[in-house]
Amino acid sequence: MSEDPKLYPNKPKKAQVKQLQQQQQKAKQYSSPAPASSSSSTMEAQASSKPPLPPRQSFARRYKFLWPLLLTVNLGVGAYLWTKKKATSMEEGDMAGDVSSTSGSVATAKTGPVAQNPLSLPPPSTNEPAKSLEPIPENQQRELFKWLLEEQRKIKPKDPEEKRRIDEEKAILKQFIRAKSIPSI
């Protein structure tokens, strides 16, 4: 309590404080009867032995060489994702144009713009026979209808018209589930 708290220009680490306290205790043990002069001499010795630490810079200033690199990489990734998204949206648009161009009356309206686009894919050949898939067993169809009914029950309608539409779909699904035989498509 007799010692005043010490003010440092830079906060020392705990190890440095402990070392300083040990040195002070050793100095007190071996000091002469004049404590005022010895304590001032030990303070001067400690101050001269340890140079003051340079002020610590902020994180941004210490690693200022990383900022341009980080910004460049971020810009590159953003440009890559933007072009990839744009390319996929163009391909989806082309495919939608190709699908709609195969229908009868719409074919004349869509063939002009699709043919002008140099990146469009050639239309799929219509000479291929349709692949016939194996029929799905009735029990699996019933399980599928039950799952669809559960999903319809989870939907929260936003307005009365949507609620009416969902109720109609649920009624149809219930009829299919309760029926003895499910009609084949």
Side-chain angles (χ1 to χ4, degrees), residues 152 155 160-170:
Q152 289 288 336
I155 296 174
E161 183 179 320
E162 186 177 0
K163 183 178 182 349
R164 184 183 50 80
R165 182 185 56 81
I166 291 173
D167 288 341
E168 289 174 0
E169 290 175 1
K170 288 195 297 190

Side-chain angles (χ1 to χ4, degrees), residues 29-179:
Q29 290 175 357
Y30 299 113
S31 66
S32 60
S37 63
S38 66
S39 65
S40 63
S41 64
T42 57
M43 295 289 268
E44 292 170 5
Q46 289 175 358
S48 65
S49 66
K50 293 184 181 177
L53 297 173
R56 194 165 187 192
Q57 294 178 341
S58 67
F59 178 79
R61 290 189 187 261
R62 274 185 284 164
Y63 297 104
K64 63 183 175 185
F65 60 90
L66 287 178
W67 294 116
L69 175 68
L70 181 66
L71 291 173
T72 305
V73 169
N74 193 8
L75 182 66
V77 170
Y80 171 75
L81 292 175
W82 184 71
T83 55
K84 187 174 180 183
K85 182 179 177 184
K86 190 172 183 179
T88 56
S89 66
M90 285 177 52
E91 289 174 5
E92 289 173 0
D94 292 343
M95 288 181 187
D98 290 342
V99 170
S100 63
S101 67
T102 57
S103 63
S105 64
V106 182
T108 58
K110 290 289 183 176
T111 53
V114 173
Q116 291 175 357
N117 191 352
L119 296 177
S120 66
L121 299 174
S125 63
T126 56
N127 297 340
E128 297 176 8
K131 296 179 182 177
S132 61
L133 302 174
E134 296 179 13
I136 300 172
E138 280 190 31
N139 59 354
Q140 286 183 352
Q141 286 182 4
R142 286 186 202 280
E143 289 176 19
L144 180 64
F145 290 144
K146 288 178 184 178
W147 177 80
L148 285 170
L149 184 61
E150 289 175 16
E151 293 299 316
Q152 289 288 336
R153 288 177 178 154
K154 291 178 186 177
I155 296 174
K156 305 288 186 208
K158 296 178 183 174
D159 52 30
E161 183 179 320
E162 186 177 0
K163 183 178 182 349
R164 184 183 50 80
R165 182 185 56 81
I166 291 173
D167 288 341
E168 289 174 0
E169 290 175 1
K170 288 195 297 190
I172 294 170
L173 287 170
K174 287 177 184 177
Q175 287 176 357
F176 280 137
I177 292 170
R178 292 177 187 147

